[in-house]
Amino acid sequence: VQSQSGTGKTCVFCLGALQSVDTSSREPQALFLSPTRELAEQSQKVCLALGDYLNVQVHVCIGGKRVSDDIHTFEAGVQIVSGTPGRVFHMIQQRHFSTRHARETHTMAPAAMSFVRLHALRRPLGFALLGLCGLGQKPFLSAAGGALPLDELSALHQKFGGDASVWANQPMPQRARSGGTISALSVQIPALERLAPYLRPGASVFDLGFGSGVMTAMLLAAAPSSGVRVIGVDLEDKVKVATENMLKTSGPFRFQREQFEFLGGDAFHCLQRWKDEGKTFDVVYSGCSFDPDTQQLALFLGRLKPTGAAVFNLGNPGKQGMYFVADGGKKCELLMRVNFMMAESPLTPPASDSVPLDPSRLGQWIQQNIFTDKEL
């Protein structure tokens, strides 16, 4: 099941679990697996609220809390468990959590990740599901719009040289320890949340100004399948270090050479060539800021499919914004104020009129100047 947040997915699987459990038994009979602690706690609270008069025990089994508390709860008896894969697997492995009576397994997946991706990349989750999905047991999967594995993305960000305190940082690029530049995680997450629904299997992605390669890695990590491929363009000296950064990643996200391609040179030269070839992308992202008095944005968005989505920075130093655009300009949102390096290229002549910075006017400008003759 996949649906946007607030449409009732949690209510549906909680009601199903409450309907099926036998409250006279103190054995675990239903398990909710979530990618984050916050989602696990949310599922527990909803289940407790809906089952207020059923005398049902719902336990949240997550990291960051004392293992002894989990052990005591399982010994006392509980019918429904809501947890994260690591701690749940630990409890099963140590034989504190018996799955003999489990009837249902519900996996709350990030919107940008399919069940197969979760199963392949999260080994504890894979073991937990293998132990639960036997005869007479029912596995369910739902995806919540906008839910990203923030802990894992933060760890991935740090592997590329990001500061562990990036959540508190201003949205400005930093110099990465591993080479190139790296944007604060506080900038990347809002972009990924908007782009994730458009990273469909087989999607093509363009990353302008890849720097250390971190945003290419983030986009692939948020993609629903390995069929997504990213092409990045930046200065020639960035190619080697970014490629090395991508190939040496470890943990849940490991990238293969065929998933990405880094090109050195003028990005607008590539955009012009792709325009002549008719090449387009499902998702385009730029870490540089476009000058509204040039044709840079027009060249950039001209390579976006009408049904695709883009995140880019636009404006002059001191007055820049990060924008999200989708569906041919019908969706246009100012995500935040930023201060990024300006894109420079002799291949982008001045524009006849400045690109508007107001989101509503910008959306109209995109519809009229980029997608007028393209079928949506």
Side-chain angles (χ1 to χ4, degrees):
V1 180
Q2 181 171 352
S3 181
Q4 294 299 312
S5 297
T7 55
K9 298 182 303 300
T10 303
C11 180
V12 168
F13 71 74
C14 285
L15 287 172
L18 290 168
Q19 178 70 23
S20 64
V21 298
D22 178 6
T23 55
S24 65
S25 171
R26 305 291 287 182
E27 297 288 343
Q29 300 163 50
L31 168 64
F32 306 153
L33 285 174
S34 302
T36 67
R37 300 172 187 176
E38 292 77 15
L39 277 175
E41 291 176 329
Q42 175 187 323
S43 298
Q44 181 213 26
K45 291 176 182 177
V46 172
C47 207
L48 283 172
L50 293 174
D52 192 34
Y53 299 101
L54 294 179
N55 193 31
V56 64
Q57 301 298 315
V58 185
H59 174 59
V60 61
C61 185
I62 59 178
K65 295 189 176 182
R66 292 187 298 182
V67 174
S68 59
D69 292 342
D70 288 330
I71 296 174
H72 293 155
T73 300
F74 283 116
E75 289 178 347
V78 61
Q79 286 99 7
I80 298 176
V81 177
S82 177
T84 48
R87 180 59 66 89
V88 167
F89 175 58
H90 178 70
M91 289 292 103
I92 294 174
Q93 191 179 42
Q94 298 299 315
R95 301 185 183 277
H96 300 301
F97 178 5
S98 172
T99 62
R100 290 176 302 164
H101 300 277
R103 302 175 182 178
E104 300 182 5
T105 305
H106 178 89
T107 304
M108 196 70 172
M113 285 187 168
S114 66
F115 173 78
V116 175
R117 176 86 170 177
L118 277 167
H119 182 89
L121 294 180
R122 300 178 183 226
R123 198 175 178 208
L125 175 59
F127 278 116
L129 291 178
L130 285 172
L132 285 167
C133 298
L135 292 175
Q137 296 168 334
K138 303 178 181 67
F140 298 92
L141 174 74
S142 74
L148 292 172
L150 300 184
D151 290 344
E152 294 182 358
L153 289 176
S154 178
L156 179 63
H157 187 271
Q158 292 178 52
K159 288 182 183 297
F160 280 77
D163 187 345
S165 64
V166 288
W167 284 111
N169 285 355
Q170 293 295 317
M172 297 177 66
Q174 312 162 58
R175 177 63 58 178
R177 297 188 304 271
S178 54
T181 56
I182 185 168
S183 301
L185 195 64
S186 58
V187 173
Q188 295 173 342
I189 293 301
L192 288 171
E193 288 176 341
R194 300 322 193 274
L195 296 177
Y198 297 85
L199 294 169
R200 304 178 182 98
S204 57
V205 183
F206 173 51
D207 180 6
L208 190 157
F210 54 77
S212 65
V214 64
M215 196 58 183
T216 294
M218 291 287 189
L219 288 162
L220 288 171
S225 78
S226 58
V228 173
R229 189 168 186 270
V230 181
I231 295 180
V233 181
D234 205 329
L235 298 179
E236 188 67 45
D237 61 348
K238 302 291 196 304
V239 174
K240 181 179 179 181
V241 66
T243 301
E244 291 175 350
N245 289 341
M246 290 289 295
L247 296 179
K248 70 180 182 183
T249 53
S250 58
F253 299 117
R254 296 182 178 87
F255 306 111
Q256 305 299 320
R257 194 64 184 84
E258 60 270 17
Q259 293 179 274
F260 65 94
E261 180 182 4
F262 291 144
L263 304 175
D266 191 320
F268 295 98
H269 174 76
C270 291
L271 288 170
Q272 185 62 56
R273 187 181 78 245
W274 292 335
K275 178 181 179 180
D276 297 337
E277 297 172 352
K279 183 177 179 61
T280 56
F281 297 88
D282 299 285
V283 171
V284 293
Y285 172 85
S286 174
C288 303
S289 189
F290 298 131
D291 185 343
D293 296 323
T294 70
Q295 295 183 17
Q296 291 175 343
L297 183 61
L299 279 172
F300 177 73
L301 292 180
R303 298 304 88 221
L304 178 65
K305 295 179 181 178
T307 54
V311 169
F312 56 87
N313 307 306
L314 178 69
N316 295 304
K319 194 177 181 181
Q320 297 177 7
M322 184 171 77
Y323 297 85
F324 165 71
V325 169
D327 301 338
K330 292 182 179 180
K331 295 180 182 178
C332 186
E333 179 184 359
L334 175 63
L335 301 182
M336 66 177 68
R337 293 296 178 186
V338 294
N339 185 18
F340 279 85
M341 294 179 295
M342 298 296 295
E344 297 181 2
S345 171
L347 301 176
T348 52
S352 56
D353 295 303
S354 294
V355 180
L357 302 182
D358 176 76
S360 60
R361 293 180 57 214
L362 177 59
Q364 294 174 2
W365 183 91
I366 291 171
Q367 292 179 55
Q368 295 170 3
N369 291 272
I370 308 297
F371 296 105
T372 300
D373 300 325
K374 297 181 180 179
E375 184 178 350
L376 296 179

